[in-house]
Amino acid sequence: MLANTPFQRLQVKLGKLIAATPAGERLPSEPKLAKQLGVSRATLREAMRTFETQGLIRRRQGAGTFVVGQVPVLESGLEVLESIETLAERIDLDVSASDLDVTQILADEKQAGILDVPLGTPLTRVRRVMQADDRPVAYLIDTLPQGILHPDDLESPQFTGSVLDFLLARGDPALNVARTAVSALGARSDVAKALEIQRGDVLLHFVSQLYAESGRVVDHSSSYFLPGYFHFHVVRRVGY
């Protein structure tokens, strides 16, 4: 890519600095680095976001910014719905769930419409952070009718973080397809905190409805992925 603008040239300089710094080493402090590169701290912070969302650097509150180095990439075609655990198993990567929060809520108007249940229906909301390579890489939220999944069900040792895998292993209900909307968005404050990134950093966002064979929506999910750790693609046929 040609660096035609001052901001692009700044990113090229930062990229070279990060590439030349051994993994695990700390970059110069923000004030020092901004002075060295001749930019404001706000401009430097904005330029560094690209490398942070790619997983190449990691900012730690009160400690500084550290180079991560080459990160493992979880790759999947969007034609098949698979859990993060399944993707990680392919590349022999250990993943785990942390900050698990299972809550009983009552369906509001929006949730009732999505899940096609009466207003006030008891729902189970499952929020957790998925960790890989000792850092958060995804923040997942699933909402299901309690008739499908009760909070007590997730006390089972069979639940390791994937609601999809848990439902498949249980075999009830028979799952059919998922409809997913894919977008890129800036992280809101609660998601940024969970993923240890800055508010506004770009994330991949999947919003899905999982259907049973009967056509019933059994799970509404919202998933936030760090782009540097995930590579999603679509195989498309040529139309005639």
Side-chain angles (χ1 to χ4, degrees):
M1 179 182 70
L2 295 177
N4 294 322
T5 69
F7 190 78
Q8 287 174 333
R9 289 194 289 272
L10 171 60
Q11 288 187 311
V12 169
K13 290 179 182 178
L14 272 175
K16 290 180 178 178
L17 175 63
I18 291 168
T21 304
E25 291 292 315
R26 185 171 59 186
L27 293 175
S29 67
E30 198 173 89
K32 183 177 180 179
L33 191 54
K35 184 176 180 180
Q36 176 184 325
L37 296 172
V39 297
S40 69
R41 291 178 65 180
T43 300
L44 174 65
R45 209 173 290 127
E46 184 67 25
M48 292 179 75
R49 283 182 175 180
T50 300
F51 299 98
E52 188 168 15
T53 55
Q54 289 174 1
L56 298 177
I57 60 174
R58 183 179 184 186
R59 278 179 275 187
R60 298 176 184 168
Q61 189 68 32
T65 302
F66 294 81
V67 173
V68 176
Q70 188 62 43
V71 300
V73 177
L74 300 171
E75 184 167 354
S76 175
L78 293 179
E79 303 86 357
V80 180
L81 179 62
E82 296 178 300
S83 68
I84 292 177
E85 288 91 332
T86 299
L87 301 181
E89 189 175 347
R90 288 204 195 109
I91 61 173
D92 197 27
L93 176 67
D94 288 331
V95 296
S96 60
S98 67
D99 302 318
L100 176 64
D101 176 49
V102 182
T103 309
Q104 174 180 301
I105 60 175
L106 300 179
D108 60 20
E109 188 172 342
K110 181 179 179 181
Q111 293 160 340
I114 291 172
L115 294 167
D116 194 21
V117 295
L119 196 67
T121 296
L123 306 175
T124 299
R125 185 177 62 196
V126 187
R127 296 185 290 195
R128 65 278 192 210
V129 175
M130 298 305 295
Q131 304 265 352
D133 208 28
D134 296 322
R135 75 145 300 161
V137 297
Y139 180 56
L140 311 178
I141 306 170
D142 287 77
T143 306
L144 309 87
Q146 283 195 13
I148 300 295
L149 187 70
H150 192 277
D152 292 345
D153 295 340
L154 298 183
E155 295 179 4
S156 164
Q158 276 69 48
F159 179 69
T160 59
S162 169
V163 170
L164 173 65
D165 286 351
F166 186 81
L167 294 177
L168 287 172
R170 195 175 65 178
D172 178 26
L175 305 179
N176 188 17
V177 296
R179 182 180 178 87
T180 304
V182 182
S183 63
L185 51 67
R188 63 177 193 252
S189 56
D190 61 322
V191 178
K193 181 179 180 181
L195 292 175
E196 300 179 10
I197 58 176
Q198 302 297 309
R199 181 179 177 181
D201 283 355
V202 176
L203 298 172
L204 297 174
H205 185 214
F206 287 17
V207 178
S208 298
Q209 285 81 45
L210 180 61
Y211 293 84
E213 288 183 349
S214 63
R216 178 185 183 187
V217 179
V218 298
D219 183 10
H220 173 66
S221 64
S222 187
S223 306
Y224 303 85
F225 302 100
L226 283 181
Y229 286 85
F230 294 88
H231 178 203
F232 296 105
H233 61 267
V234 179
V235 177
R236 307 173 72 185
R237 292 186 301 159
V238 176
Y240 293 96

